């Protein structure tokens, strides 16, 4: 307890208003020393391994496999076998039953998964508990509902599964991205080989235990761990009918080149450089909360992050003043502390990328602001950062930083806001803050972005499709749209 200061005629007040530590217990998670690959319902002993760590402390957590092309082939063969000898033949209502089970087990074990996600990935427990886990379960519930209604989702098109789906996911929302990929694939009747990102394999490996509990037939979902080499082997594998990838634009382009002419289906969800646009009639305090949520949520490791703030010139000063004041209240530190707002940067490699881009911003002439905060000595950390005086041409206004770094630009008219917002190779998301409904509709029609949020930001729902334009990729995940990449249709066959 903080010591109370007594002044004779006044109510006692604490001397200091610092938050006491409120750590979430790690005991709910029990880790093995070593994990293999989950293939055909059993654990395959890996031929090569590496150590996965906690980015907040650099503490080693477990040894995991670095799957070789042969091990990837074993997983693909198990998926093919499960597809042909069972899964694609069972009734759709039966498939739905497994998905509902998985959803319920994720809910029941959500605390365990949330702690593991924060431990291995560095994100605040507040977010893994209140965002990642509820949304992951919601995805399985949502697609469980579609499994036996595909004929109604795509009337007169005779939807059929594609076969074996190879799925490669990133480290920013490990379990949630797993759900975005696996739930629609299974609902549509496919089997899966999933590769989690090399820095965050543990929640996918724990998910194998959820599959065991749900009694999912062996081989329907296979999980191989490893870095980009494992991902590349999965892309190359001839037994795979469809690739779904979320990650960097460079790797997405390489995959597209690799698959050109093979007839394999492909969806890509790549980077972004979203504009968060504040008009002078917006509710400013709410907008400031939306700016903070837009870029500091998940340390800015968000493809749809509002990383470019566009403020109408007449309100520039009050917005920046309110924003800077709000930043001083953000608590940066231990991801497992329930009070933490901003956790650890996911990896050393990502921290170096953020540092390099921030240095370029300073060199090109932008003005940097960081609130006073003490960063832990071990682990990978970066203070919440705002850049003002940013020109459109600066790298920090053009390139995806994927960290807690905001670049501020200004505009005068809605037309100028649209022009600046669209002036990027990406087109994943955007935010608009204004009191006028007509302006929201006008902006939404002119912004080249897959998602446009109005007077809010970073809102997700399994029923709402998500995906990009231009270099942000193609294909949609979520909603009825999210089923389509996992299906083939009779009409497509007629065309040849
Ligand atoms: P990355 O694209 O290399 O990694 C994403 C996934 O792809 C991982 O599972 C990785 O193992 C796999 N992968 C890597 N090389 C591959 C290859 N040649 N073939 C098949 N799979 C491969 O992304 P990285 O290096 O982790 O991050 C670099 C930048 O990418 C970030 O700074 C950020 O700007 C962006 N990024 C965007 C994400 C998004 O959600 N759109 C997610 C992660 C990163
Ligand atoms: Mg990479």
């Amino acid at each position: 307890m903080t010591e109370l200061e007594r002044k004779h005629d006044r109510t006692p007040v604490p001397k200091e208003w610092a938050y006491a530590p409120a750590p979430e217990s790690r005991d709910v998670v029990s880790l093995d020393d070593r994990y293999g690959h989950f293939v055909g319902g059993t654990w395959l002993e890996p031929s090569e391994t590496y150590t996965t760590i906690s980015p907040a402390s650099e503490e080693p957590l477990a040894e995991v496999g670095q799957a070789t092309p042969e091990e990837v082939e074993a997983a693909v063969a198990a998926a093919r076998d499960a597809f042909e000898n069972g899964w694609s033949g069972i009734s759709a209502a039966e498939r739905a039953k497994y998905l509902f089970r998985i959803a319920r087990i994720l809910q029941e074990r959500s605390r365990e998964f949330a702690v593991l996600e924060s431990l291995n990935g560095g994100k605040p427990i507040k977010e893994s508990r209140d965002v990642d886990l509820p949304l992951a379960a919601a995805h399985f519930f949502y697609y469980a509902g579609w499994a036996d209604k595909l004929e109604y989702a795509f009337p007169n098109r005779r939807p059929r599964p594609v076969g074996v789906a190879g799925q490669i996911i990133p480290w920013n929302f490990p379990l949630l991205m797993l759900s975005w990929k696996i739930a629609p694939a299974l609902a549509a009747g496919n089997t899966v080989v999933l590769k989690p990102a090399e820095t965050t394999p543990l929640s996918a490996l724990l998910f194998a235990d959820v599959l065991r509990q749900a009694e999912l037939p062996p081989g329907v979902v296979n999980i191989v761990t490893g870095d980009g080499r494992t991902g590349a082997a999965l892309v190359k594998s001839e037994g795979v009918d469809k690739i779904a990838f979320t990650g960097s634009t460079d790797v997405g382009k390489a995959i597209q080149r690799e698959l050109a002419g093979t007839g394999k289906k492909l969806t890509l969800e790549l980077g972004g450089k979203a504009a968060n646009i504040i008009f002078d009639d917006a509710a400013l305090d709410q907008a400031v909360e939306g700016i903070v949520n837009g870029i500091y949520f998940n340390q800015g490791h968000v493809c749809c992050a509002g990383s470019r703030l566009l403020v109408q010139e007449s309100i520039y000063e009050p917005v920046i003043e309110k924003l800077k004041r709000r930043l001083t209240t953000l608590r940066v530190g231990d991801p497992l502390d329930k009070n933490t707002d901003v956790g650890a940067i996911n990896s050393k490699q990502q921290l170096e990328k953020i540092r390099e881009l921030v240095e370029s911003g300073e060199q090109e002439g932008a003005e940097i602001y960081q609130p006073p905060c003490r960063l832990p000595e071990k682990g990978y950390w970066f203070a919440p950062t705002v850049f003002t005086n940013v020109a459109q041409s600066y790298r920090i206004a053009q390139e995806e930083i994927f960290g807690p770094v905001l670049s501020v630009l200004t505009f005068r008219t809605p037309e100028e806001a649209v022009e600046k917002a669209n002036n990027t190779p990406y087109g994943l998301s955007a935010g608009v803050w204004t009191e006028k409904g007509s302006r929201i509709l006008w902006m939404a029609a002119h912004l080249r972005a897959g998602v446009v949020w109005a007077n809010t930001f970073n809102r997700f729902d399994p029923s709402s499709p998500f995906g990009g334009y231009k270099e942000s990729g193609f294909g949609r995940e979520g909603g009825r749209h999210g089923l389509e990449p996992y299906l083939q249709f009779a009409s497509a066959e007629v065309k040849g």
Side-chain angles (χ1 to χ4, degrees):
M1 267 293 275
T2 322
E3 201 187 319
L4 296 184
E5 194 174 9
R6 287 185 187 279
K7 294 244 169 74
H8 30 266
D9 56 342
R10 278 196 249 142
T11 330
V13 289
K15 269 190 184 149
E16 200 196 347
W17 285 101
Y19 281 81
E24 175 73 65
S25 167
R26 267 179 69 159
D27 298 346
V28 286
V29 175
S30 69
L31 286 172
D32 293 347
D33 293 340
R34 185 182 161 93
Y35 291 87
H37 306 294
F38 187 68
V39 173
T42 56
W43 292 101
L44 190 74
E45 182 60 29
S47 54
E48 290 170 35
T49 62
Y50 69 96
T51 306
T52 184
I53 64 165
S54 156
S57 62
E58 296 170 60
E59 163 204 359
L61 296 175
E63 289 290 301
V64 298
Q66 162 67 42
T68 60
E70 294 73 39
E71 287 162 336
V72 170
E73 282 312 320
V76 172
R80 171 66 53 197
D81 187 45
F83 179 73
E84 275 161 16
N85 303 311
W87 188 247
S88 60
I90 68 171
S91 79
E94 190 74 1
R95 283 205 308 271
K97 185 186 77 183
Y98 290 109
L99 290 169
F100 278 121
R101 280 186 189 166
I102 293 169
R104 282 196 301 269
I105 297 167
L106 278 180
Q107 283 187 321
E108 279 161 20
R109 298 179 67 174
S110 64
R111 188 148 165 254
E112 182 186 0
F113 271 97
V115 170
L116 183 59
E117 204 73 320
S118 287
L119 198 59
N120 199 196
K123 64 172 66 201
I125 185 74
K126 193 161 74 176
E127 293 176 5
S128 41
R129 182 194 63 201
D130 298 347
V131 181
D132 297 59
L133 261 296
L135 278 175
H139 252 80
F140 278 101
F141 276 120
Y142 176 78
Y143 281 110
W146 272 125
D148 62 351
K149 300 174 194 69
L150 299 176
E151 297 285 346
Y152 305 99
F154 304 98
N156 302 319
R157 293 180 69 193
R158 285 195 278 141
R160 285 182 295 112
V162 173
V164 175
Q167 307 184 317
I168 300 167
I169 57 170
W171 40 264
N172 49 346
F173 294 92
L175 188 75
L176 185 58
M177 290 302 104
L178 172 153
S179 310
W180 280 30
K181 298 276 184 283
I182 293 183
L186 297 194
N190 304 276
T191 58
V192 162
V193 178
L194 177 109
K195 191 200 84 64
E198 53 269 42
T199 54
T200 53
L202 292 179
S203 54
L205 293 168
L206 184 61
F207 183 75
D209 197 51
V210 170
L211 301 176
R212 177 195 58 78
Q213 264 181 294
E215 295 174 7
L216 189 77
V220 173
V221 171
N222 305 275
I223 295 164
V224 290
T225 56
D227 62 17
R229 290 168 293 169
T230 303
L234 185 56
V235 170
K236 276 204 174 78
S237 172
E238 288 189 0
V240 167
D241 302 298
K242 186 227 156 24
I243 292 286
F245 172 78
T246 300
S248 64
T249 299
D250 285 348
V251 173
K253 285 180 181 172
I255 292 176
Q256 196 175 7
R257 277 194 296 272
E258 179 69 37
L259 293 189
T262 63
K264 286 182 197 167
K265 284 181 118 178
L266 173 65
T267 42
L268 297 175
E269 203 267 87
L270 310 174
K273 191 73 186 175
N276 203 358
I277 305 164
I278 322 288
F279 284 96
D280 60 6
D281 63 345
L284 288 197
D285 290 318
Q286 282 172 36
V288 167
E289 286 310 302
I291 297 165
V292 168
N293 174 34
I295 185 65
Y296 304 112
F297 170 64
N298 202 33
Q299 297 74 246
H301 300 330
V302 182
C303 46
C304 52
S307 53
R308 287 184 300 152
L309 177 64
L310 298 187
V311 190
Q312 198 155 21
E313 219 168 76
S314 50
I315 51 160
Y316 174 78
E317 267 146 35
V319 167
I320 297 303
E321 194 194 309
K322 280 173 188 285
L323 178 62
K324 286 182 176 172
R325 196 181 330 132
R326 178 68 177 84
L327 285 199
T328 62
T329 67
L330 286 181
R331 295 176 296 260
V332 185
D334 182 5
L336 286 180
D337 192 309
K338 292 170 208 155
N339 290 325
T340 294
D341 297 307
V342 179
I345 299 302
N346 183 266
S347 67
K348 189 158 177 260
Q349 183 201 7
Q350 188 58 30
L351 180 59
E352 278 161 10
K353 175 180 167 181
I354 297 168
R355 282 191 177 140
E356 198 255 316
L357 274 157
V358 165
E359 259 168 44
S360 85
E362 289 187 274
Q363 273 162 16
E364 287 189 289
E367 196 175 302
I368 189 169
Y369 172 79
Q370 292 176 324
C373 61
R374 219 180 310 135
L375 301 178
E377 271 162 26
K378 283 227 123 193
Y380 314 128
W381 302 93
F382 202 85
T385 302
V386 177
F387 273 115
T388 48
N389 273 335
V390 180
Q392 279 274 44
S393 58
Y394 292 177
R395 286 181 64 199
I396 54 168
Q398 290 290 332
E399 293 179 32
E400 183 177 51
I401 302 175
F402 226 64
V405 182
L406 180 67
S407 301
V408 185
L409 301 150
T410 58
F411 68 93
R412 288 184 187 172
T413 63
E415 289 77 11
E416 190 188 345
V418 165
E419 203 181 305
K420 285 188 164 160
N422 288 343
N423 180 11
T424 150
Y426 298 110
L428 196 54
S429 64
V432 179
W433 297 78
T434 171
E435 204 181 57
K436 292 190 185 67
S438 58
R439 181 177 281 164
I440 290 170
L441 296 175
W442 188 86
M443 290 294 290
H446 288 83
L447 289 166
R448 290 268 291 156
V451 180
V452 178
W453 285 294
N455 294 324
T456 186
F457 210 91
N458 274 340
R459 287 245 171 197
F460 301 96
D461 189 280
S463 63
S464 173
F466 184 88
Y469 285 98
K470 300 193 277 186
E471 294 204 1
S472 293
F474 49 78
R476 293 290 178 269
E477 295 186 296
R480 195 170 53 85
H481 303 67
L483 288 164
E484 207 160 338
Y486 291 101
L487 291 166
Q488 49 184 327
F489 301 98
S491 51
E493 263 166 35
V494 176
K495 278 190 214 133

